[in-house]
Amino acid sequence: MDFIVFLIQSPDQTGLVSGISSFFYERNFNIVDCQQFVDVYSKKFFMRLKLDLSGLKTSRKQLESEFQDFSAPKQLNWSVHYTDQLQKMAILVTTAPHCLYDLLVRHEQKELLCEIPVIISNRPNLESIAEKFRIPFYCLPISNKADKPRQEKLVQSLLKQHHIDLVVLARYMQILSTEFTEGYFGKIINIHHAFLPAFQGANPYRRAYERGVKMIGATAHYATPDLDEGPIIEQNVERVTHEHYPQELTQIGADVERVVLATAVKAHLERRIIITGNKTLVFS
Amino acid sequence: MDFIVFLIQSPDQTGLVSGISSFFYERNFNIVDCQQFVDVYSKKFFMRLKLDLSGLKTSRKQLESEFQDFSAPKQLNWSVHYTDQLQKMAILVTTAPHCLYDLLVRHEQKELLCEIPVIISNRPNLESIAEKFRIPFYCLPISNKADKPRQEKLVQSLLKQHHIDLVVLARYMQILSTEFTEGYFGKIINIHHAFLPAFQGANPYRRAYERGVKMIGATAHYATPDLDEGPIIEQNVERVTHEHYPQELTQIGADVERVVLATAVKAHLERRIIITGNKTLVFS
Amino acid sequence: MDFIVFLIQSPDQTGLVSGISSFFYERNFNIVDCQQFVDVYSKKFFMRLKLDLSGLKTSRKQLESEFQDFSAPKQLNWSVHYTDQLQKMAILVTTAPHCLYDLLVRHEQKELLCEIPVIISNRPNLESIAEKFRIPFYCLPISNKADKPRQEKLVQSLLKQHHIDLVVLARYMQILSTEFTEGYFGKIINIHHAFLPAFQGANPYRRAYERGVKMIGATAHYATPDLDEGPIIEQNVERVTHEHYPQELTQIGADVERVVLATAVKAHLERRIIITGNKTLVFS
Amino acid sequence: MDFIVFLIQSPDQTGLVSGISSFFYERNFNIVDCQQFVDVYSKKFFMRLKLDLSGLKTSRKQLESEFQDFSAPKQLNWSVHYTDQLQKMAILVTTAPHCLYDLLVRHEQKELLCEIPVIISNRPNLESIAEKFRIPFYCLPISNKADKPRQEKLVQSLLKQHHIDLVVLARYMQILSTEFTEGYFGKIINIHHAFLPAFQGANPYRRAYERGVKMIGATAHYATPDLDEGPIIEQNVERVTHEHYPQELTQIGADVERVVLATAVKAHLERRIIITGNKTLVFS
């Protein structure tokens, strides 16, 4: 069964729920799910609408054009998605295998509905995992700092060539350029191995150990030019004690990371996320 | 600021969101919040609608009568609530003080918006707590098994006399009669000190200890004639180890119980719960 | 770095810590870790002792014989393990791939230190996963109920042939015979996809859905002749809502199952578990 | 039943477990509980030893003097505590009632075994709560910044006058002077309403809201001259969504705060904490 998903945000105003739902009712759509939220602080309205795709009697272009006419006077900021078009997801990695494995297994089990045309790395280590799942692996090494822009260009041209919709940084240990993150705004999900905003930057488990925290965490967020400052999608934590050394924190943290990253990627693929300012709304 | 809350359930049918939201839009109501859910298994539609009460231009009777006319052909099963009418809540206890204290503190801090006209117990132990918060305490002891119906009658007449809307069994260690639970269906919340359906009945912590479980829990549910079988509202658990004896499980469990019970009572008072069959929908 | 691990249980008596630690101190062992617990109810003493293996100056036989002489008058029930001898673990599966994948990935990442000589199934479905990790896969189907004992014999002879120390039932959907579970007592770990003792037996997610629980869980336990009644090693839960259908509970539960099973298997491989009666002590 | 608790830390060396346990065995003590931990990084040894007090045949002075003789050559840093001497705990508050209520209820229920001779505040708001539990309440206001040192002197003289062993800052919204925190090192427990090191300083819930985090937390730690930088004792978190405004985060957070603070205070009162550097070991 396939669906049409509308994601809408706009200044709050009376009659939005009634107006939007009537728009689709008049066109004989079956509203499978409708979630809305009004932020009383920013006075903004948000809605996620899920329609039975089989109810579409016109072309997609026609529907979009009619909704555009409807939405313009209301200043709706909206996007539409059709679940019969699988998104294309690229995974970028360095040497840590746990998140890569997790995404590939969930993909194979149809928990993450998307295509994965490429896995890209700046190191050769994880090629055999890509092999196992028969996905092309590109090793694009960086010989020195001056070499970084050249390599990033190669990454970007691979993404373009494969029409990538979503880039997942599955423990990719390179900082992306401002131009890259801005060009893919809202389309790059990063996993940071700490409970942001605690322990931004490098070596979070080591620093968590030194600070003596009693829980460690992980955060999935959209990448922005400011490192580890982008809109947070999902977070979780696990309890630790004084008996855990940094290498054990790393292992305990890996379990948190992979579930947090998979949860965020799934929400994105299912079009359940709206970005507003530097925050996200994640619908259920 | 006060609100009108509509809770609606009905057989699923197209046009419900559009129809209901238009009903209120035509009457110039501001929809503050609207949550809906369609259960594809039972083919039932559920909605919670929160309106700004200040938008009410007619009498409440008038609004209800118009909504009744609107809803009848659609077979909507609905109720309406006005937040300017505080609900009256009775607390029933025996000897365990933690849930009683918790409810009274949250009530004093205006986290639970309701009136508490009476605390009723079959034992005298907790009178001093009721005293601290200046709430009438009725001790209605049970001398023997044959005496139970007489005491329950007294409890019920106290509830009626005080126009009680919600009865909270805050570790009340007496089984209520079928007549009582049926008469107050959906109006009695019980806290069971186990993760239902595990350890129904008596002494759950002792039995959890004997079974060697690694987590203990608590469950808040609506009381029904079948003991510990009513619709579950909220559950939670806490991790335990082999080092915890039954008395420690009791203490750890107490923290779970009071948060679970308070969460359930709050959801009920805020009219966020719809009962369907033997289950609940709890809106956020 | 390798270790000797002693697991000890006995009737409680004064001088045990002093006596045991002195035994090893006199032999110039470095006690890397020492955990003990006295159960005041059963009056039993438990200890896990971890020694630096490089401190062993005699043969292993000699050490064990001397400790036997020391322990006999104190009625110590003990076992000793050397971490330079990798345990051999067999994985039994049917059709669900998530736990199998998880164990194989953790094994590859050296999080689970053991050998995995065989994967055995009553169905052919998961062969390709075994292939990916280059581990022999045996499909031993059961044609009908009468055929079960024959197949179980084949399973057991495979286990014997490969000198298996630990059998992991990673969603193996066959009930083992009493003779099998008794013969491998304390050596078979099963994952049950519910929070035991809730929902023992078949279809726990479906039943959890029908009961309307607000959390679902998983339990890893040692297999015994009584189905789902064996000593619990590890449990965990995840929050769910009325919006989750059985197939979603299954998916959410899969994440709980694999972490719970891996945690239990790791504790067993690291010799951190003592079974006492129908319970476990799991040392940290 | 009463106990003697020894807390010991020292440079790691062979024979410590054997030596210490033999010291007490020779004096016919029953070791009720013994936990030890060797930090392989800092090469430090830690032990908590719990003895049955009724086994003490000499004076306490005598025991301590003998243990001092024993420990000196081993460079043991130790302290001893007798559970028949109730500690005296002062609670400092400002206007938030939830932690104060929680501590007083747990104290009344004998979950926190201590005396509470005084509650001190810089504001009059919470006097009625102290009244309910019949504990002296001192309101020591601060008229302006210059007035702060004078008020702190009054606080300190109250603490001295009442022989206070432990100061609990239960949402006391004043920064203590370096002289105060150093004078009471390891004897002041503060609750910070954020998951440290995230959101140190003022208004953590507001800042958590603005950052769009998906979980909020609380941290109990020993107070040091560096604000919110002291050794962490306990932390916990609760999940939140985009639907929660700052005032709701405050309410959700309050539940986390009070359990985290109570857990830390309980561990301190039961002498289960050893401070090492800027970290804590919390024994179970």
Side-chain angles (χ1 to χ4, degrees):
Chain A
M1 193 170 169
D2 277 303
F3 303 101
I4 308 175
V5 176
F6 276 83
L7 295 175
I8 302 166
Q9 57 178 303
S10 76
D12 191 27
Q13 52 204 284
T14 55
L16 279 175
V17 177
S18 163
I20 296 169
S21 56
S22 296
F23 175 92
F24 292 106
Y25 179 54
E26 287 158 12
R27 280 157 187 80
N28 287 308
F29 276 106
N30 185 16
I31 298 179
V32 179
D33 189 35
C34 167
Q35 295 177 70
Q36 53 97 257
F37 175 67
V38 176
D39 185 326
V40 299
Y41 277 16
S42 63
K43 297 197 164 50
K44 289 188 81 174
F45 169 89
F46 302 90
M47 183 180 258
R48 180 180 185 267
L49 209 68
K50 192 173 162 186
L51 310 166
D52 186 346
L53 179 58
S54 68
L56 181 64
K57 304 304 177 206
T58 66
S59 73
R60 296 175 188 203
K61 279 241 166 89
Q62 174 77 9
L63 172 69
E64 292 167 23
S65 156
E66 288 176 22
F67 193 75
Q68 181 53 35
D69 292 347
F70 164 82
S71 71
K74 297 182 176 62
Q75 293 179 272
L76 304 192
N77 186 341
W78 61 277
S79 62
V80 62
H81 313 275
Y82 305 89
T83 65
D84 62 351
Q85 295 173 346
L86 276 191
Q87 293 170 69
K88 290 173 193 287
M89 177 169 98
I91 305 177
L92 272 62
V93 294
T94 299
T95 56
H98 57 281
C99 285
L100 176 61
Y101 256 128
D102 191 71
L103 293 170
L104 295 177
V105 169
R106 288 179 200 269
H107 177 250
E108 188 181 285
Q109 293 179 38
K110 310 223 178 304
E111 190 181 325
L112 297 178
L113 291 173
C114 62
E115 287 175 37
I116 305 179
V118 284
I119 295 168
I120 305 172
S121 181
N122 58 323
R123 293 282 182 80
N125 311 46
L126 304 182
E127 183 171 10
S128 68
I129 299 177
E131 282 288 302
K132 279 194 179 77
F133 293 84
R134 304 167 55 87
I135 294 175
F137 179 88
Y138 294 83
C139 181
L140 302 174
I142 302 169
S143 47
N144 55 53
K145 220 169 179 186
D147 188 38
K148 249 183 82 74
R150 181 199 58 83
Q151 188 255 15
E152 202 182 274
K153 283 266 176 313
L154 290 178
V155 173
Q156 290 201 51
S157 63
L158 264 175
L159 300 181
K160 258 167 216 149
Q161 182 192 335
H162 290 279
H163 301 278
I164 294 303
D165 300 299
L166 173 64
V167 180
V168 176
L169 308 179
R171 301 294 306 273
Y172 182 61
M173 307 309 274
Q174 291 295 322
I175 297 170
L176 303 182
S177 69
T178 295
E179 180 257 327
F180 192 164
T181 54
E182 286 185 345
Y184 278 85
F185 178 72
K187 294 180 174 173
I188 307 175
I189 295 178
N190 181 44
I191 179 75
H192 183 70
H193 41 317
F195 191 79
L196 289 176
F199 307 119
Q200 289 180 224
N203 294 321
Y205 290 131
R206 155 75 44 190
R207 287 151 64 209
Y209 174 76
E210 281 160 6
R211 181 63 186 90
V213 295
K214 300 299 185 187
M215 296 188 124
I216 55 165
T219 305
H221 63 94
Y222 287 112
T224 55
D226 296 313
L227 187 67
D228 301 332
E229 293 274 11
I232 293 171
I233 304 167
E234 170 71 358
Q235 302 188 286
N236 214 337
V237 295
E238 188 58 65
R239 193 166 280 278
V240 296
T241 75
H242 61 266
E243 297 177 306
H244 296 109
Y245 296 112
Q247 63 269 34
E248 289 167 292
L249 298 187
T250 301
Q251 207 166 83
I252 293 168
D255 273 354
V256 184
E257 289 168 41
R258 53 189 208 167
V259 174
V260 164
L261 180 58
T263 303
V265 168
K266 192 163 192 281
H268 181 99
L269 292 175
E270 294 173 1
R271 303 297 187 183
R272 291 190 281 105
I273 307 178
I274 294 180
I275 302 178
T276 171
N278 199 41
K279 295 185 185 186
T280 63
L281 284 81
V282 182
F283 291 105
S284 61
Chain B
M1 192 171 171
D2 278 304
F3 303 101
I4 308 174
V5 175
F6 276 83
L7 295 175
I8 302 166
Q9 55 179 305
S10 76
D12 192 25
Q13 52 204 289
T14 54
L16 278 177
V17 177
S18 163
I20 296 169
S21 56
S22 296
F23 175 92
F24 293 106
Y25 179 55
E26 287 158 12
R27 281 157 187 79
N28 288 305
F29 277 105
N30 185 18
I31 298 179
V32 180
D33 190 35
C34 168
Q35 295 176 70
Q36 55 98 254
F37 175 67
V38 175
D39 186 326
V40 300
Y41 277 16
S42 63
K43 296 200 165 48
K44 288 187 81 174
F45 169 89
F46 302 91
M47 182 181 259
R48 180 181 186 266
L49 209 70
K50 191 173 161 185
L51 310 167
D52 186 347
L53 178 59
S54 67
L56 181 64
K57 302 305 177 209
T58 65
S59 71
R60 296 175 188 203
K61 281 236 166 91
Q62 174 76 10
L63 172 67
E64 292 167 22
S65 157
E66 289 176 22
F67 193 74
Q68 181 54 33
D69 292 347
F70 164 83
S71 71
K74 297 180 176 65
Q75 295 179 273
L76 303 192
N77 185 340
W78 61 277
S79 61
V80 63
H81 313 275
Y82 305 89
T83 66
D84 61 349
Q85 294 174 343
L86 277 192
Q87 291 169 73
K88 291 173 194 288
M89 176 168 100
I91 306 177
L92 271 62
V93 295
T94 298
T95 56
H98 56 282
C99 285
L100 176 61
Y101 255 130
D102 192 70
L103 293 170
L104 295 178
V105 168
R106 287 179 201 269
H107 177 250
E108 186 182 287
Q109 294 179 38
K110 310 217 178 308
E111 192 181 325
L112 297 178
L113 291 174
C114 62
E115 286 174 39
I116 306 179
V118 284
I119 296 168
I120 305 172
S121 181
N122 57 325
R123 293 282 181 81
N125 311 46
L126 304 181
E127 183 171 10
S128 68
I129 300 177
E131 282 287 302
K132 281 193 178 78
F133 292 85
R134 303 166 57 85
I135 293 174
F137 178 88
Y138 294 83
C139 180
L140 302 174
I142 301 169
S143 47
N144 55 54
K145 221 172 178 182
D147 188 38
K148 248 182 82 75
R150 181 199 56 85
Q151 188 255 15
E152 203 183 272
K153 282 267 175 311
L154 290 179
V155 173
Q156 290 201 52
S157 63
L158 264 176
L159 300 180
K160 256 165 219 152
Q161 180 191 337
H162 290 281
H163 300 278
I164 294 302
D165 300 299
L166 174 64
V167 179
V168 177
L169 308 179
R171 301 294 305 273
Y172 182 62
M173 307 310 273
Q174 291 296 322
I175 297 171
L176 303 183
S177 69
T178 295
E179 180 257 328
F180 191 165
T181 54
E182 285 184 345
Y184 279 85
F185 178 71
K187 295 181 174 173
I188 306 175
I189 296 178
N190 181 45
I191 180 76
H192 183 70
H193 41 314
F195 190 80
L196 290 175
F199 306 120
Q200 289 180 224
N203 293 322
Y205 290 131
R206 153 77 41 190
R207 286 150 66 207
Y209 174 77
E210 280 159 8
R211 182 62 186 89
V213 295
K214 301 300 186 187
M215 295 185 125
I216 55 164
T219 304
H221 64 93
Y222 286 111
T224 55
D226 296 314
L227 188 67
D228 301 332
E229 293 275 12
I232 293 172
I233 305 168
E234 170 71 359
Q235 302 188 288
N236 214 339
V237 295
E238 187 59 64
R239 192 166 280 279
V240 296
T241 75
H242 60 267
E243 298 177 305
H244 296 109
Y245 296 111
Q247 64 269 35
E248 290 166 292
L249 299 187
T250 302
Q251 205 166 85
I252 293 168
D255 273 353
V256 183
E257 288 167 42
R258 53 190 208 167
V259 174
V260 164
L261 179 58
T263 302
V265 169
K266 193 164 192 282
H268 182 98
L269 291 175
E270 295 174 0
R271 304 296 188 183
R272 291 189 281 106
I273 308 179
I274 294 179
I275 301 178
T276 171
N278 199 39
K279 294 186 186 185
T280 65
L281 286 80
V282 183
F283 292 105
S284 61
Chain C
M1 193 170 171
D2 278 304
F3 302 101
I4 309 174
V5 175
F6 276 83
L7 295 175
I8 302 165
Q9 54 178 305
S10 76
D12 191 26
Q13 52 203 288
T14 54
L16 279 175
V17 178
S18 162
I20 296 169
S21 56
S22 296
F23 175 91
F24 293 106
Y25 179 55
E26 286 157 13
R27 280 155 187 80
N28 287 306
F29 278 106
N30 185 17
I31 297 179
V32 179
D33 189 35
C34 169
Q35 295 175 70
Q36 55 97 255
F37 175 67
V38 176
D39 186 327
V40 299
Y41 277 16
S42 63
K43 295 198 165 49
K44 289 188 79 173
F45 169 90
F46 302 90
M47 183 181 257
R48 181 181 185 266
L49 209 70
K50 191 173 162 187
L51 309 167
D52 185 348
L53 178 58
S54 69
L56 181 64
K57 303 304 177 211
T58 66
S59 72
R60 296 175 189 204
K61 280 239 166 90
Q62 174 76 10
L63 171 68
E64 293 167 21
S65 155
E66 288 176 23
F67 192 75
Q68 182 53 34
D69 292 347
F70 163 83
S71 70
K74 297 180 176 63
Q75 294 178 274
L76 304 191
N77 185 340
W78 61 277
S79 62
V80 62
H81 314 274
Y82 305 88
T83 66
D84 61 350
Q85 295 173 344
L86 277 191
Q87 292 170 71
K88 291 173 193 287
M89 175 168 100
I91 306 178
L92 271 63
V93 295
T94 298
T95 57
H98 57 282
C99 285
L100 176 61
Y101 255 130
D102 191 71
L103 294 170
L104 295 178
V105 169
R106 288 180 201 269
H107 177 250
E108 188 181 286
Q109 294 179 40
K110 310 216 178 308
E111 191 181 324
L112 297 179
L113 292 173
C114 62
E115 286 174 39
I116 305 179
V118 283
I119 295 168
I120 305 172
S121 183
N122 58 323
R123 292 282 183 80
N125 311 45
L126 303 182
E127 181 171 11
S128 68
I129 299 177
E131 281 288 301
K132 282 194 178 79
F133 293 84
R134 305 166 56 86
I135 293 174
F137 179 88
Y138 294 83
C139 180
L140 303 174
I142 302 169
S143 47
N144 55 53
K145 223 173 176 182
D147 188 37
K148 250 184 80 77
R150 182 199 56 83
Q151 188 253 18
E152 203 184 271
K153 283 267 175 311
L154 291 178
V155 172
Q156 289 200 52
S157 64
L158 264 175
L159 300 181
K160 255 165 220 151
Q161 181 192 335
H162 290 280
H163 301 277
I164 295 302
D165 300 298
L166 173 65
V167 179
V168 177
L169 307 179
R171 300 294 306 272
Y172 182 62
M173 306 309 274
Q174 291 296 322
I175 296 171
L176 304 182
S177 70
T178 294
E179 180 257 328
F180 192 165
T181 54
E182 284 184 346
Y184 279 85
F185 178 71
K187 293 180 175 176
I188 307 175
I189 295 178
N190 181 44
I191 180 76
H192 183 70
H193 41 316
F195 190 79
L196 289 176
F199 306 121
Q200 289 180 224
N203 294 321
Y205 289 131
R206 153 77 41 191
R207 286 151 66 209
Y209 173 76
E210 281 159 6
R211 181 63 186 89
V213 295
K214 300 300 184 187
M215 296 186 124
I216 54 166
T219 305
H221 63 95
Y222 286 111
T224 55
D226 296 314
L227 187 67
D228 302 332
E229 293 274 10
I232 294 172
I233 305 168
E234 170 70 0
Q235 303 187 287
N236 214 338
V237 295
E238 187 59 66
R239 192 167 279 280
V240 297
T241 75
H242 60 268
E243 298 178 306
H244 296 109
Y245 296 112
Q247 65 269 36
E248 290 166 290
L249 298 186
T250 302
Q251 207 167 83
I252 293 167
D255 273 354
V256 183
E257 288 167 41
R258 52 190 208 166
V259 174
V260 165
L261 179 59
T263 302
V265 169
K266 192 165 193 283
H268 181 99
L269 291 175
E270 294 174 2
R271 303 296 187 183
R272 291 189 280 105
I273 307 177
I274 293 179
I275 301 177
T276 170
N278 199 40
K279 295 186 186 184
T280 64
L281 285 80
V282 183
F283 292 106
S284 60
Chain D
M1 193 171 170
D2 278 302
F3 303 101
I4 308 174
V5 175
F6 275 83
L7 295 175
I8 302 166
Q9 56 179 304
S10 76
D12 192 26
Q13 53 204 287
T14 55
L16 279 176
V17 177
S18 163
I20 296 169
S21 56
S22 297
F23 176 91
F24 293 106
Y25 179 55
E26 288 159 12
R27 281 158 187 80
N28 288 307
F29 278 106
N30 185 17
I31 297 180
V32 179
D33 189 35
C34 168
Q35 295 176 70
Q36 54 97 254
F37 176 67
V38 176
D39 185 328
V40 299
Y41 278 14
S42 63
K43 296 196 164 48
K44 289 187 81 174
F45 169 89
F46 303 90
M47 181 181 259
R48 180 180 185 268
L49 208 69
K50 191 173 161 185
L51 310 168
D52 186 345
L53 178 58
S54 67
L56 180 64
K57 303 303 178 210
T58 65
S59 72
R60 296 175 188 202
K61 279 240 167 90
Q62 174 76 10
L63 171 69
E64 292 166 23
S65 155
E66 289 176 23
F67 193 74
Q68 181 53 32
D69 292 347
F70 165 81
S71 71
K74 297 181 177 62
Q75 294 179 274
L76 304 192
N77 184 343
W78 61 277
S79 62
V80 64
H81 313 275
Y82 305 89
T83 66
D84 62 350
Q85 295 173 344
L86 277 191
Q87 293 171 69
K88 291 172 193 287
M89 175 169 100
I91 306 177
L92 272 63
V93 295
T94 299
T95 57
H98 57 282
C99 285
L100 176 61
Y101 256 128
D102 191 70
L103 293 170
L104 295 178
V105 169
R106 288 179 200 269
H107 177 250
E108 188 181 285
Q109 294 179 38
K110 310 222 178 303
E111 189 181 327
L112 297 179
L113 292 173
C114 62
E115 287 174 37
I116 306 180
V118 283
I119 296 168
I120 304 173
S121 181
N122 58 324
R123 292 283 181 82
N125 311 45
L126 303 182
E127 183 172 8
S128 68
I129 300 178
E131 282 288 302
K132 280 193 179 76
F133 292 84
R134 303 167 57 88
I135 294 174
F137 179 86
Y138 294 83
C139 180
L140 302 174
I142 301 169
S143 48
N144 55 53
K145 223 172 177 182
D147 189 37
K148 249 181 82 77
R150 181 199 58 83
Q151 189 255 13
E152 204 184 271
K153 283 265 175 314
L154 290 178
V155 173
Q156 290 201 52
S157 63
L158 264 175
L159 300 180
K160 257 165 218 152
Q161 182 192 335
H162 290 279
H163 301 278
I164 294 303
D165 300 299
L166 173 64
V167 179
V168 177
L169 307 179
R171 299 294 306 273
Y172 182 63
M173 305 309 273
Q174 291 294 323
I175 298 170
L176 303 183
S177 70
T178 295
E179 181 256 327
F180 192 165
T181 54
E182 286 184 345
Y184 279 85
F185 178 71
K187 294 180 175 173
I188 307 175
I189 295 178
N190 182 44
I191 179 75
H192 183 70
H193 40 315
F195 190 79
L196 290 176
F199 306 120
Q200 289 180 226
N203 293 321
Y205 290 130
R206 154 76 42 187
R207 286 150 66 207
Y209 174 76
E210 281 159 7
R211 182 63 186 89
V213 295
K214 300 299 185 188
M215 295 186 126
I216 55 165
T219 305
H221 64 94
Y222 286 112
T224 54
D226 296 314
L227 187 66
D228 301 331
E229 292 274 12
I232 292 171
I233 305 167
E234 170 71 359
Q235 302 188 286
N236 214 338
V237 295
E238 187 58 64
R239 192 167 280 277
V240 296
T241 76
H242 60 268
E243 297 177 305
H244 296 108
Y245 296 112
Q247 64 270 34
E248 290 167 291
L249 298 187
T250 301
Q251 206 166 83
I252 293 168
D255 273 354
V256 183
E257 289 168 41
R258 52 189 208 168
V259 174
V260 164
L261 179 58
T263 303
V265 168
K266 193 164 193 282
H268 181 98
L269 291 175
E270 295 174 1
R271 304 295 187 184
R272 290 190 280 107
I273 308 178
I274 294 180
I275 301 177
T276 170
N278 198 41
K279 294 185 185 186
T280 64
L281 285 80
V282 183
F283 292 105
S284 60

